[in-house]
Amino acid sequence: MAGTRKPQQKPAALQRLFDRLCLLAVLNCCLLAVGANANVAQNFVPPPGLTPEITPTWEQLVDDLVSGNQDHARVMARQLFDEFVALYGENGWEVGLPGTYLGLLQLDRGDTTLAIQRLEKSITLIEEHFGQFDPRLVAPLKATAVGYLQQNDHTSAVAALRRAQNLTHRQSGVYNTDQLPILDTLITAQKGNRTSRAADALMRFNLRVHE
C-alpha cells in the first residue's frame, strides 16, 4: 500500500509468529498485532490495568507497531513495562502482558536471552494469577519457543509449542484453526531437532486442520 511503511525483516520463524499475532490479539483480547495498515489498530485491546496516565504510552506503542517503527516501539514497550511495574509492582499480574510485549520486541531485535527471561517471567505471573491453563499463556509460550529456536534449543522449543497447542485444544477443540501458526513453528522445531517422523506426523495433522 502506497505511503505505508513495511515492518523490518525478521528471521523466518519469528516472522511467522509476528504475521499471526493479529489473530492472537483478537482471541486473547490483549496481544500485540503487526499489520500493514491503520485498520490493524482495531485489533489492539488495551492491557488490563491500563490507567489514563499510562494510556499515552500504550497508544504510542500501537502507533509505532502499526507504522512498522520497531526501534521506537521497543522504547515504548520498555516504558510501558516500567510504568506498569511502578504502579503494580514487579510481581503484579497486570505486568504479565506488558512484559510479553517487551519480550516479543526484544526477540525481534535479537536480544534473545533477555527476551526469554522476560517472557518466562510473564508466563509465571499469568500462571500464578490465572492458572496453568489460561489462554493468555499461548502468546508468551509461542514467543519463548521462538527464542529457544534462536538459541538452537529445539527440545525446549518443542515443549513450549506443545503446551501452547494443548491450550488451544482445551479452549477451541483438537482441530481448531487457531493452532495453525503454532503448528508451522512446531514443524520447524521438529525438523531442527532431527525428528523427521514427528515432523511428518505434524504436517499430516496440519493438513487435517486445514480441511
Side-chain angles (χ1 to χ4, degrees):
M1 184 179 297
T4 301
R5 295 177 60 184
K6 295 181 179 180
Q8 299 172 359
Q9 294 298 312
K10 307 174 182 70
L14 186 57
Q15 180 67 59
R16 284 195 295 273
L17 175 67
F18 271 75
D19 287 344
R20 307 298 179 84
L21 277 173
C22 181
L23 294 176
L24 286 171
V26 177
L27 293 169
N28 296 342
C29 300
C30 54
L31 299 171
L32 70 96
V34 175
N37 59 63
N39 292 332
V40 175
Q42 297 175 2
N43 291 321
F44 288 80
V45 179
L50 190 68
T51 66
E53 293 76 17
I54 303 176
T55 295
T57 305
W58 164 252
E59 292 176 343
Q60 184 60 58
L61 173 59
V62 172
D63 288 345
D64 289 338
L65 289 169
V66 169
S67 67
N69 189 353
Q70 302 295 88
D71 289 335
H72 196 255
R74 279 189 288 273
V75 174
M76 299 314 296
R78 178 82 245 184
Q79 181 174 327
L80 181 72
F81 174 77
D82 290 342
E83 290 175 351
F84 265 78
V85 169
L87 188 59
Y88 298 107
E90 186 138 351
N91 295 317
W93 68 267
E94 298 90 346
V95 176
L97 294 174
T100 299
Y101 307 148
L102 179 58
L104 284 165
L105 287 161
Q106 288 172 327
L107 272 182
D108 183 45
R109 185 180 181 180
D111 296 332
T112 307
T113 299
L114 288 175
I116 289 175
Q117 291 173 351
R118 175 45 50 200
L119 291 162
E120 288 177 342
K121 178 65 173 180
S122 294
I123 290 169
T124 298
L125 289 174
I126 294 171
E127 287 176 336
E128 288 178 348
H129 293 277
F130 299 104
Q132 295 184 348
F133 303 110
D134 191 271
R136 277 166 282 215
L137 290 165
V138 172
L141 283 168
K142 282 183 58 183
T144 303
V146 172
Y148 290 140
L149 287 174
Q150 290 181 350
Q151 294 182 331
N152 293 318
D153 184 354
H154 294 86
T155 300
S156 296
V158 167
L161 290 165
R162 284 292 192 186
R163 185 180 175 194
Q165 182 187 30
N166 288 336
L167 288 172
T168 71
H169 289 178
R170 291 178 65 91
Q171 184 182 18
S172 305
V174 173
Y175 293 105
N176 73 85
T177 56
D178 304 335
Q179 67 185 304
L180 289 174
I182 299 173
L183 283 169
D184 289 343
T185 312
L186 189 53
I187 290 168
T188 299
Q190 290 284 27
K191 287 180 177 178
N193 210 20
R194 302 180 184 276
T195 49
S196 57
R197 183 175 298 179
D200 290 343
L202 283 168
M203 292 176 70
R204 290 193 295 270
F205 180 74
N206 199 352
L207 289 174
R208 292 193 64 183
V209 174
H210 274 92
E211 291 176 353

